[in-house]
Amino acid sequence: SADPVLFVVGAPEVLLQRCRTVFDGTRSLAHSPEVRRNLLDRAAAAAASGTRVLAVCRRHLDRSRRQFDAGDVTDLTFLALLHFEDPLRPDAREAVRGLAALGLRTILATGDHVETAAAVARETGMTSVALPNALDGSAIDRLANGALGEALQRTDVIARADPLQKERVVSVLQARGEVVAMIGDGVNDAVALRRA
């Protein structure tokens, strides 16, 4: 039987750090900082147009392995960048406009790349600036609650946020006395939806 192959799909900026080689269609080549930068630039350019971008990587495992864990997501071979569109719901722009008319502030919280999130914020009318004030998940983890609360007052977009980071944002805003409502349609939103 053939060796098992682990395929991994995820954020390019995360997975490219875990790659040792790049597959060029015929063979695997050494993964250099220049190649990584080029791929990240391509992913960011696609994200800036509102396209979601995922990296696809693989790793051949030992034939005797039948299980794997997070520690195996290393020494990967980069295969491709996947670009796909996730169009806005037809009523999204009108919903944002209605919230603004009521004097309510909206913050877009997503697991997407910051450039994708910014494009969505512009498309929904949440902002008109090219790159709105944004936080990412790693910044949320670095900030104490007080500093995060202050940062959220200037934030239009939260990008690369995981479910627990979204929940923390809701909790920090509530602790500041704000009434928080959340809209979400994915399993990644469930924890924050419950908190709100």
Side-chain angles (χ1 to χ4, degrees):
S1 70
D3 292 346
V5 179
L6 171 66
F7 287 95
V8 184
V9 179
E13 63 269 25
V14 173
L15 292 184
L16 285 168
Q17 293 178 6
R18 298 175 181 215
C19 288
R20 179 175 288 181
T21 57
V22 175
F23 186 68
D24 74 350
T26 57
R27 64 190 195 284
S28 292
L29 306 171
H31 185 53
S32 68
E34 295 77 21
V35 170
R36 179 181 296 124
R37 173 64 16 220
N38 178 271
L39 291 169
L40 288 173
D41 288 347
R42 287 171 46 197
S49 69
T51 302
R52 288 191 171 169
V53 183
L54 295 173
V56 181
C57 304
R58 76 172 177 217
R59 178 179 175 194
H60 290 275
L61 300 173
D62 186 85
R63 184 170 297 179
S64 64
R65 298 281 303 276
R66 290 296 174 248
Q67 294 184 342
F68 65 91
D69 58 33
D72 292 312
V73 184
T74 187
D75 297 331
L76 301 172
T77 297
F78 172 82
L79 299 176
L81 291 175
L82 294 180
H83 301 229
F84 60 98
E85 290 187 26
D86 186 8
L88 287 177
R89 291 175 47 150
D91 57 349
R93 186 175 290 111
E94 188 59 38
V96 168
R97 189 177 299 125
L99 293 171
L102 292 170
L104 301 176
R105 181 170 168 250
T106 56
I107 299 174
L108 174 66
T110 178
D112 288 335
H113 188 284
V114 66
E115 295 278 3
T116 304
V120 171
R122 288 190 304 272
E123 193 174 343
T124 59
M126 289 178 58
T127 183
S128 59
V129 298
L131 191 58
N133 293 325
L135 283 175
D136 67 13
S138 62
I140 291 170
D141 286 342
R142 286 192 310 270
L143 295 172
N145 284 351
L148 178 58
E150 290 299 318
L152 288 170
Q153 300 309 302
R154 304 179 301 274
T155 298
D156 301 307
V157 168
I158 299 169
R160 288 293 189 230
D162 67 30
L164 295 179
Q165 291 162 340
K166 291 179 185 180
E167 180 188 36
R168 183 169 174 230
V169 165
V170 171
S171 296
V172 166
L173 290 171
Q174 289 172 332
R176 293 177 64 90
E178 297 193 33
V179 176
V180 181
M182 181 167 171
I183 300 169
D185 62 359
V187 68
N188 289 336
D189 300 315
V191 177
L193 281 166
R194 183 180 67 227
R195 175 71 60 189

